[in-house]
């Protein structure tokens, strides 16, 4: 570890570090994707797969000569992370080849990858045991069950695009940051694939988004949308609680402070008696700041590039490539980006004062998906623009056809993948005009305490 990463930080230095790395600006060139998958038994898909079989599957995937990185999530979810690609074709072809190899290896063990935003199998189990995940679970358990559900049962398609130019304009980083948060709700709605039939998110098409919203008071929230992006993210990062403090002692548990923000830690002497005695017991370093940033889970995470984290894992062999292609088109094709920005401006009023994902626009996207008329209209316009842009971006016929088929099957009809998995009684909902009268979720007043879980 470099010596400067071990040097105690000052508050000013921490602010400078975050401010300098969150948006690396320049012409948009690169694209990447991270695909999380649930592992199912082919013959008994309703039953959880044993830890031993999951471990064997993970080992088989890691042994393959892949271009993508292979990691394992706490619940045994398998993740493939592409290398940054200079074209849509390069990104998709690389992931496609790696997926084919991984699927073949797992098939020989009677297992398969499935794209679902939330694992429907019960009980939820954590496969990985480590000081990191032990501390994470301890931290999240203080605010309810959402943390365990996120760690053990969620899966997504994360798409990474460059931050954009320093200067204003259609491909400027300020506009792309704003675009990501407004269109993020459209992406939640169009790709919703985690329906819930019971529990706190009953009736939601994207229960995974509800889980992320309920992790804790701040960690999964976007900064204020109207604020300057670098400054807003820097404040958000420093004013979020420290999840855990690492130790170099082999096998020793990590400390899990209570109510200690990273800014508090910077301003303290490392003892933190003001936080119930449960502190870090040492000053923070640059390495601690780097780690802290990895424990922040907003819907759009600035990591030099923009990491869009709001999309559910998608069904089918090729469902994953649709959000990758659509996001790339709407952000990196100038004509499609201009259309997307016009749509985003139209959604701005519905965003409200609360940050994503707790504002009315994002909650409606998670609950109602494209049955919401405003989101349905926005999605149709954006997907049409994306389909038109794909040939200009060099997409091959298979990608164009796959995106077109998704658009026709779901977006054009005001549907999402979750609608394929609803219970029979829910498959034919009453039209909005004939539904029982109730306030729209964007306008109804919320009683005290509802915002945190509704």
């Amino acid at each position: 570890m470099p010596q400067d990463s071990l040097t105690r930080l000052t508050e000013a230095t921490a602010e400078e570090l975050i401010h300098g790395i969150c948006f690396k600006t320049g012409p948009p060139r690169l694209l990447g994707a991270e695909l999380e998958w649930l592992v199912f038994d082919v013959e008994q898909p309703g039953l959880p797969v044993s830890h031993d079989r999951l471990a064997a599957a993970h080992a088989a995937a890691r042994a393959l000569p892949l271009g993508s990185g292979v990691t394992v999530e706490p619940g045994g979810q398998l993740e493939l992370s592409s290398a940054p690609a200079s074209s849509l074709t390069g990104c998709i072809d690389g992931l496609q080849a790696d997926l084919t190899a991984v699927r073949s290896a797992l098939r020989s063990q009677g297992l398969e990858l499935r794209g679902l935003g939330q694992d429907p199998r019960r009980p939820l189990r954590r496969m990985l045991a480590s000081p990191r995940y032990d501390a994470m679970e301890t931290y999240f358990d203080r605010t309810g069950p959402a943390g365990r559900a996120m760690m053990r049962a969620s899966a997504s398609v994360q798409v990474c695009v460059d931050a954009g130019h320093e200067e204003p304009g259609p491909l400027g980083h300020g506009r792309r940051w704003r675009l990501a948060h407004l269109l993020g709700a459209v992406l939640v709605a169009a790709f919703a694939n985690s329906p819930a039939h019971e529990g706190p998110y009953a009736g939601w098409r994207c229960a995974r988004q509800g889980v992320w919203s309920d992790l804790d008071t701040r960690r999964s929230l976007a900064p204020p949308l109207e604020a300057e992006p670098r400054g807003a993210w820097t404040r958000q990062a420093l004013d979020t609680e420290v999840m855990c403090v690492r130790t170099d002692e082999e096998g020793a548990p990590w400390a899990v402070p209570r109510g200690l923000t990273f800014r508090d830690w910077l301003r303290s002497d490392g003892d933190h008696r003001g936080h119930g005695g449960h502190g870090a017991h040492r000053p923070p370093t640059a390495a601690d700041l780097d780690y802290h940033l990895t424990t922040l889970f907003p819907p759009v995470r600035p990591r030099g590039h923009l990491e869009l984290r709001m999309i559910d894992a998608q069904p089918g062999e090729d469902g994953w490539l649709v959000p990758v292609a659509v996001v790339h088109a709407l952000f990196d094709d100038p004509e499609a980006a201009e259309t997307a920005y016009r749509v985003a401006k139209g959604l701005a009023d519905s965003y409200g004062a609360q940050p994503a994902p707790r504002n009315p626009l994002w909650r409606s996207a998670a609950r109602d998906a494209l049955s919401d008329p405003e989101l349905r209209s926005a999605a149709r316009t954006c997907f049409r623009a994306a389909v038109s842009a794909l040939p200009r971006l060099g997409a091959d016929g298979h990608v164009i056809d796959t995106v077109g088929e998704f658009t026709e099957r779901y977006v054009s009809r005001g549907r999402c993948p979750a609608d394929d998995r609803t219970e029979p009684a829910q498959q034919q909902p009453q039209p909005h005009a004939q539904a029982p009268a109730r306030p729209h979720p964007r306008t109804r007043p919320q009683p005290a305490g509802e915002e945190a879980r509704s």
Side-chain angles (χ1 to χ4, degrees):
M1 184 179 294
Q3 186 61 36
D4 60 356
S5 70
L6 301 175
T7 303
R8 176 170 182 169
L9 281 179
T10 65
E11 187 173 350
T13 301
E15 290 176 342
E16 290 173 3
L17 286 172
I18 300 173
H19 197 275
I21 65 175
C22 56
F23 295 96
K24 295 181 179 179
T25 54
R29 298 185 305 108
L30 300 177
L31 173 70
E34 301 174 13
L35 312 179
E36 295 173 344
W37 300 92
L38 303 176
V39 180
F40 278 72
D41 184 288
V42 174
E43 298 296 330
Q44 296 179 304
L47 298 179
V49 178
S50 71
H51 286 185
D52 288 345
R53 292 185 71 196
L54 282 173
H58 300 150
R62 288 191 173 112
L64 296 169
L66 306 178
S68 304
V70 178
T71 52
V72 178
E73 297 299 308
Q77 308 96 312
L78 188 68
E79 179 178 311
L80 294 182
S81 302
S82 76
S86 58
S87 69
L88 176 63
T89 298
C91 180
I92 288 179
D93 285 355
L95 281 168
Q96 194 75 274
D98 291 344
L99 273 171
T100 298
V102 171
R103 284 172 171 145
S104 178
L106 266 61
R107 195 175 302 116
S108 68
Q109 300 182 14
L111 301 172
E112 64 179 359
L113 300 178
R114 287 198 182 181
L116 298 170
Q118 281 286 114
D119 195 337
R121 296 168 297 182
R122 294 295 183 271
L124 300 180
R125 300 178 302 170
R126 177 157 65 95
M127 176 184 175
L128 301 185
S130 68
R132 168 187 169 89
Y133 292 127
D134 292 346
M136 182 180 290
E137 197 158 87
T138 297
Y139 174 87
F140 283 134
D141 281 351
R142 293 171 179 168
T143 53
R148 291 193 177 212
M150 178 275 288
M151 293 172 65
R152 302 179 180 201
S154 66
S156 67
V157 174
Q158 298 176 19
V159 187
C160 300
V161 295
D162 279 332
H165 293 285
E166 187 67 30
E167 301 78 16
L171 299 181
H173 79 282
R175 178 182 284 197
R176 286 161 74 88
W177 176 248
R178 183 176 179 82
L179 179 68
H181 288 88
L182 291 170
L183 282 189
V186 178
L187 300 174
V188 168
F191 295 113
N193 189 35
S194 51
H197 307 307
E198 58 186 11
Y201 316 111
W204 291 38
R205 266 81 160 194
C206 186
R208 174 180 161 272
Q209 198 58 241
V211 167
W212 280 102
S213 178
D214 287 348
L215 285 184
D216 69 6
T217 58
R218 190 177 182 91
R219 185 169 307 278
S220 60
L221 300 186
L225 192 58
E226 300 303 327
E228 187 277 321
R230 284 191 177 94
W233 176 246
T234 299
R235 289 188 294 273
Q236 180 83 358
L238 293 183
D239 292 333
T240 297
E241 288 185 15
V242 173
M243 176 181 287
C244 51
V245 179
R246 299 171 297 168
T247 178
D248 293 332
E249 184 180 347
E250 184 70 26
W254 294 0
V256 187
R258 285 184 180 272
L260 177 75
T261 70
F262 203 90
R263 195 183 301 278
D264 293 332
W265 193 8
L266 289 165
R267 292 177 175 178
S268 74
D269 60 4
D271 196 13
H272 312 305
R273 291 184 178 86
H275 294 275
H278 300 290
H281 307 297
R282 62 172 176 80
T285 65
D288 292 316
L289 178 60
D290 289 342
Y291 183 80
H292 175 66
L293 295 176
T294 71
T295 71
L296 307 181
F297 308 121
V300 183
R301 184 158 62 179
R303 302 180 62 189
H305 56 270
L306 304 182
E307 181 183 78
L308 279 68
R309 303 170 50 85
M310 73 288 294
I311 301 168
D312 279 353
Q314 294 297 288
E317 293 284 306
D318 297 328
W320 62 271
L321 70 79
V322 179
V324 177
V326 168
V327 169
H328 177 50
L330 296 179
F331 278 79
D332 294 340
D333 177 82
E335 185 177 332
E338 191 61 37
T339 297
Y341 186 66
R342 289 198 301 270
V343 168
K345 288 175 65 177
L347 294 172
D349 288 344
S350 296
Y351 192 89
Q354 292 291 324
R358 291 187 186 152
N359 63 53
L361 180 65
W362 278 66
R363 286 204 179 272
S364 186
R367 286 190 183 104
D368 305 326
L370 296 187
S371 67
D372 178 288
E374 193 172 0
L375 288 165
R376 180 169 65 248
S377 175
R380 287 172 175 170
T381 300
C382 287
F383 273 72
R384 284 196 298 267
V387 169
S388 296
L390 289 176
R392 297 192 293 268
L393 294 169
D396 63 25
H398 175 66
V399 171
I400 294 170
D401 289 346
T402 303
V403 175
E405 289 166 4
F406 183 97
T407 302
E408 174 59 29
R409 178 175 180 176
Y410 296 115
V411 180
S412 296
R413 302 179 185 183
R415 302 178 70 249
C416 64
D419 292 323
D420 292 342
R421 300 177 54 231
T422 54
E423 294 176 340
Q426 296 174 310
Q427 287 181 356
Q428 295 181 337
Q430 294 295 314
H432 281 282
Q434 299 176 16
R438 65 179 179 88
H440 192 278
R442 297 199 196 164
T443 57
R444 67 183 177 91
Q446 290 189 329
E450 189 181 55
E451 184 216 349
R453 182 182 290 277
S454 58

